[in-house]
Structures are given as structure tokens and as C-alpha cells.
Amino acid sequence: MPSIFVTRKLPASVLARLESAGTVEVYAGAGAIPREELRAAVAGKDALVSMLTERIDQEIIEAGPQLKVIANVAVGYNNIDVTHARSRGIIVTNTPDVLTESVADFTWALILAVTRRLSEGERLIRRGEWKGWAFDFMLGAEVEGKQLGLVGLGRIARAVARKAPAFGMKVAYAARREADLPGAESLSIDRLLNTSDVVSLHVPLTPETRHLIDRRALARMKRSAYLVNTARGPVVDESALAWALREHLLAGAALDVYEDEPAVHPDLLALENVLLVPHLASGTTETRTAMADLAAENVIAVLAGRPPITPVTS
Ligand code: GLV
Ligand code: GLV
């Protein structure tokens, strides 16, 4: 029987499915598995089901010489040294598609929440500081007729774009590769930052996208614009963002992801014009179950000598 290691408790139905393909061992601790335990756990395992909280680098990969597959329960796979895994003949898989609508909906939740100052208003009520309705109190910005600028044009960006007509937003995008999105305008990243009322990030984290949104990029944005990040924290230079928000170089930001999770830059915590949520974009019961199911299917396929459903190809 092949042996499978799973780094977090997953739904019982998913574990049962994995048990049809091998002996399953699950890390039983409450949070992320400590690195030392992960290193010990992968020894002698044929498959690893990992989460985005584990750094699967050269050292971990070398500790599991028998590994055939690393199935990440996430669409992003910047936590895995894919090149090194491949050099050892290990197949890496992710969970695209099943989370697309969930993340796109969440992106819209953030867009509407930050432009209408929902978290700011909620904080004020909870502090007991609401003095009552007033004509010019806590006014936000409309999205109708404004430009949504998408950075990246993968599945999630496309799903966000598909929902834009419901809110009357025009869509523009900046994509590295030649890509087409009917009804939307293709712009250079600089032009996109210059002209968009909401800038939403949908790029994977790679050496090229690390700190893509730095001081220079933030300074290009309209003072009335909002930045939304549901991609990966390090795509944004958090200290530059705190500076830009403090200087009112943009109107606000909504973040679901952070440079050093679960830490959040202290300067951001002190600002009212930033909405902060704890990496929740794919976090519905339905989607998380579908992600775990897909990861399990990938493991089962590889262990059976079949191609996985969603291999990481880049
Ligand atoms: C979540 O961040 C994911 O990549 O699935
Ligand atoms: C990213 O991988 C996406 O699916 O948009």
C-alpha cells in the first residue's frame, strides 16, 4: 500500500477517499505542522497533501525520496519549489477552477466593502462612537461607471470581470502574455494603475511579481482609487502601501493576503482606510471541500500511474 501524508485535518469524506488509495497519516495538531515534524513525516511517504502554509522547499523534498506527488490544496503554489520537485521526478498539483467563483465573489465583496467603508463603519459602531445619521457622514464612492483594472488575466481575473456588468463597471486589464478579454481594454500596467478606479490583483507570486505594487506603482494610482489584493501578500510592498495610504495617494485598500502571514504590517493596523481580512477568499464550505477533493483525486491518479487532473505546469 502506498503511504500518504496529509498536513491538516480534511473532511472525513476526503480522507476516506484517500484511504482507498493508501495508508493515510494526518497531522493532528491544531495549526500548521512544525517544519521539523513535516520533514520527519515525509520520509517514506509516496504522496504529500500540503497546504499553502507549508514551505515545501529543497530540504523537505530531499527528506521524502519516495515522494511521487505533492498535492497542494490551493491554486497558488509559490510555497513549493516546483523546479526541485520536478528534478526529483515528483509531480506537483494544485486546485484551480474549483475555487474560481468563490474567490471572484470574495473579490467583489472586498471591492464593495472598501468603497462603501463597511469595516470602518463597523469599527466605529463597536467603539460606541456612532452619533447618528448625518447627510455627509462617512461617504464612500460609487463603482457604477468606474473602471476596474485587473492585474493578471487568469481564471479568477476573468471571473471577476464576468461579474463586473452587474455593478456597471468597465473592465481593463494588464496581462503579461497576449491575452484577450472581449469587452475589456488591454492596458500596460502603468496605464492601468493611472486610469483605474479599483485595481484588483490576480497574479501568482513569482520573482517577477514580488513587490509589483511598490511605491512607484502606488504613486501612479489615482488619489480616488482603491487597491484590492486577493492574490498573494508579497505582490504588494506592505510598508509602501501603508505609506501611500497615510499620504492619501490612494483612497483605500482591501487586503486578504499579507507578506508574512499571519503577521500584518503594524502601520496598516493603525490606518482606517484599509480593510483587512484573514486570507478567506476561497473559504466557503463548498469550495474548501471541492479543493480537498480535487487534491485527493490528484493523489489517487498519480499513485495509480495515471496523469493527475490538475498538474502544475509552469
Ligand atoms: C489560496 O490562497 C489559494 O491559492 O488557493
Ligand atoms: C490563477 O491561477 C487563476 O486561476 O486565476
Side-chain angles (χ1 to χ4, degrees):
M1 274 292 248
S3 58
I4 303 163
F5 186 72
V6 182
T7 63
R8 299 241 182 183
K9 285 174 208 139
L10 293 179
S13 61
V14 177
L15 294 176
R17 199 171 223 177
L18 283 171
E19 274 156 9
S20 72
T23 314
V24 180
E25 191 186 317
V26 183
Y27 175 64
I33 183 169
R35 201 171 156 74
E36 276 317 301
E37 289 188 46
L38 176 59
R39 196 166 55 167
V42 294
K45 299 297 190 303
D46 299 284
L48 171 63
V49 178
S50 59
M51 310 295 138
L52 59 86
T53 43
E54 284 97 49
R55 188 158 49 84
I56 315 288
D57 56 11
Q58 211 158 317
E59 191 194 2
I60 298 292
I61 291 167
E62 291 302 315
Q66 217 172 288
L67 283 173
K68 295 174 185 65
V69 56
I70 300 170
N72 212 38
V73 184
V75 67
Y77 46 85
N78 54 286
N79 58 312
I80 301 175
D81 186 339
V82 176
T83 308
H84 193 73
R86 193 165 294 147
S87 77
R88 288 287 179 266
I90 301 167
I91 293 171
V92 178
T93 65
N94 67 341
T95 60
D97 304 316
V98 291
L99 49 54
T100 299
E101 298 305 321
S102 167
V103 175
D105 284 353
F106 198 81
T107 303
W108 276 104
L110 293 184
I111 293 170
L112 296 173
V114 72
T115 55
R116 301 304 299 275
R117 304 173 69 173
L118 293 197
S119 67
E120 209 182 327
E122 222 240 2
R123 281 195 299 277
L124 176 118
I125 287 192
R126 288 181 187 272
R127 282 198 307 267
E129 290 174 11
W130 189 30
K131 306 274 195 310
W133 187 91
F135 181 73
D136 58 355
F137 173 64
M138 214 178 252
L139 302 185
E142 305 267 330
V143 295
E144 170 80 28
K146 304 273 179 69
Q147 178 174 301
L148 170 62
L150 302 171
V151 180
L153 195 61
R155 304 169 195 83
I156 294 168
R158 287 171 188 273
V160 172
R162 255 192 326 272
K163 295 168 201 272
F167 298 104
M169 289 196 88
K170 293 175 295 188
V171 178
Y173 61 93
R176 210 155 37 98
R177 279 180 280 263
E178 206 43 60
D180 187 46
L181 183 62
E185 193 179 4
S186 170
L187 299 174
S188 69
I189 176 93
D190 283 351
R191 183 102 188 105
L192 184 102
L193 292 167
N194 254 309
T195 57
S196 295
D197 300 292
V198 174
V199 173
S200 189
L201 306 176
H202 301 286
V203 288
L205 176 61
T206 65
E208 293 74 43
T209 63
R210 183 173 294 275
H211 286 193
L212 177 69
I213 305 300
D214 57 7
R215 269 186 180 237
R216 194 190 132 278
L218 291 159
R220 280 189 182 277
M221 289 178 67
K222 292 162 85 164
R223 281 179 176 265
S224 56
Y226 298 84
L227 177 73
V228 175
N229 189 9
T230 54
R232 279 292 180 270
V235 175
V236 175
D237 177 341
E238 270 176 24
S239 98
L241 177 62
W243 161 79
L245 288 167
R246 215 165 32 236
E247 299 295 321
H248 298 284
L249 299 185
L250 65 162
L255 306 177
D256 186 43
V257 287
Y258 303 87
E259 281 198 72
D260 184 25
E261 294 175 13
V264 176
H265 197 292
D267 293 356
L268 291 175
L269 292 172
L271 290 165
E272 283 294 345
N273 55 349
V274 58
L275 184 158
L276 305 166
V277 283
H279 205 146
L280 294 176
S282 70
T284 64
T285 305
E286 295 91 332
T287 291
R288 286 285 165 82
T289 304
M291 291 165 71
D293 266 329
L294 179 53
E297 288 303 322
N298 280 320
V299 165
I300 292 165
V302 173
L303 293 181
R306 286 183 278 117
I309 300 151
T310 50
V312 161
T313 50
S314 67

